Amino acid sequence: DAGVIQSPRHEVTEMGQEVTLRCKPISGHNSLFWYRQTMMRGLELLIYFNNNVPIDDSGMPEDRFSAKMPNASFSTLKIQPSEPRDSAVYFCASSVGPNADTQYFGPGTRLTVL
Amino acid sequence: AQSVTQLDSHVSVSEGTPVLLRCNYSSSYSPSLFWYVQHPNKGLQLLLKYTSAATLVKGINGFEAEFKKSETSFHLTKPSAHMSDAAEYFCGESSASKIIFGSGTRLSIRP
């Protein structure tokens, strides 16, 4: 099993640019989670999906952030326009079911916004 | 609202000595509880999980955690620290369909 796959692993962009982060969950997993990790705020849940449907997006910082899951094997997190304070490591995780089953994390995308 | 409190932001121990990382949860019922480890520049990896079976849970790499309902605690222990244990450790509690994570404890190992 390849595990959760995230791309790119590193992204450097300039303020105002659009950024798209990608995630492929583990095959057969029905729930997908996007997290952001910073030194200041720790690990924050941004949004999660169950069966491709967004269930809770209360952690999304503002309208500049959006997430989609068009099918069971792919999700994106988009930031438009990006700002320096968005610099962080973004993790995707997946789990089999919706009831706080064990989450498996991807390696993360390190985003730097200049 | 549910919350998870990791009582120490940083713990430093000598190699070969015991490790204790403390975690308190907030649920009034018996939740599912987790410990994850994050090595530098890596994603989080599950160490162990409690789901209301045995109160002492054994995980990978010699770690274990004990669920104590009376203390609402789920502390992580290891009898003998190894240099490779140096990492960030996160305690988590199930909440509906997601996990509430604590702020993390950085474990340093002195040679």
Side-chain angles (χ1 to χ4, degrees):
Chain A
D1 193 332
V4 176
I5 298 173
Q6 291 187 247
S7 65
R9 294 294 310 277
H10 302 273
E11 177 80 33
V12 180
T13 190
E14 293 188 345
M15 182 174 63
Q17 296 297 305
E18 177 179 297
V19 175
T20 299
L21 310 182
R22 298 172 175 80
C23 175
K24 177 178 169 56
I26 294 172
S27 177
H29 283 193
N30 297 315
S31 295
L32 183 141
F33 306 80
W34 281 102
Y35 291 88
R36 179 173 67 177
Q37 186 178 39
T38 61
M39 289 292 292
M40 291 297 293
R41 301 175 67 92
L43 191 64
E44 302 173 275
L45 176 65
L46 300 177
I47 184 171
Y48 74 94
F49 297 83
N50 186 46
N51 292 325
N52 313 335
V53 176
I55 302 300
D56 183 351
D57 65 354
S58 59
M60 295 287 262
E62 48 197 275
D63 292 346
R64 297 185 297 106
F65 285 68
S66 62
K68 293 182 179 179
M69 192 165 186
N71 57 62
S73 59
F74 183 65
S75 177
T76 59
L77 178 67
K78 184 177 294 185
I79 308 172
Q80 166 64 17
S82 58
E83 296 183 2
R85 59 191 169 122
D86 302 330
S87 298
V89 181
Y90 291 82
F91 289 103
C92 176
S94 69
S95 65
V96 172
N99 297 316
D101 205 343
T102 300
Q103 293 182 20
Y104 296 85
F105 282 73
T109 295
R110 182 174 295 277
L111 173 65
T112 302
V113 183
L114 303 174
Chain B
Q2 286 175 270
S3 65
V4 174
T5 303
Q6 293 187 241
L7 297 160
D8 307 292
S9 59
H10 183 213
V11 170
S12 179
V13 302
S14 297
E15 188 175 21
T17 65
V19 174
L20 170 63
L21 305 183
R22 298 182 294 167
C23 173
N24 285 104
Y25 64 93
S26 63
S27 291
S28 57
Y29 56 93
S30 291
S32 292
L33 298 167
F34 305 81
W35 274 101
Y36 281 80
V37 60
Q38 183 182 27
H39 288 96
N41 302 313
K42 301 288 187 183
L44 277 69
Q45 178 187 13
L46 181 70
L47 269 180
L48 52 82
K49 174 182 177 182
Y50 167 78
T51 54
S52 74
T55 56
L56 185 62
V57 183
K58 294 188 183 300
I60 61 172
N61 301 334
F63 284 93
E64 61 184 33
E66 185 173 8
F67 172 74
K68 291 187 176 180
K69 187 173 183 178
S70 61
E71 299 177 6
T72 60
S73 69
F74 190 58
H75 301 335
L76 182 70
T77 60
K78 182 173 181 178
S80 177
H82 191 273
M83 294 300 291
S84 61
D85 295 328
E88 187 93 16
Y89 291 79
F90 292 91
C91 181
E93 173 187 8
S94 61
S95 172
S97 299
K98 58 188 180 183
I99 298 175
I100 306 297
F101 284 101
S103 55
T105 297
R106 183 164 62 91
L107 177 62
S108 300
I109 311 296
R110 300 187 299 271

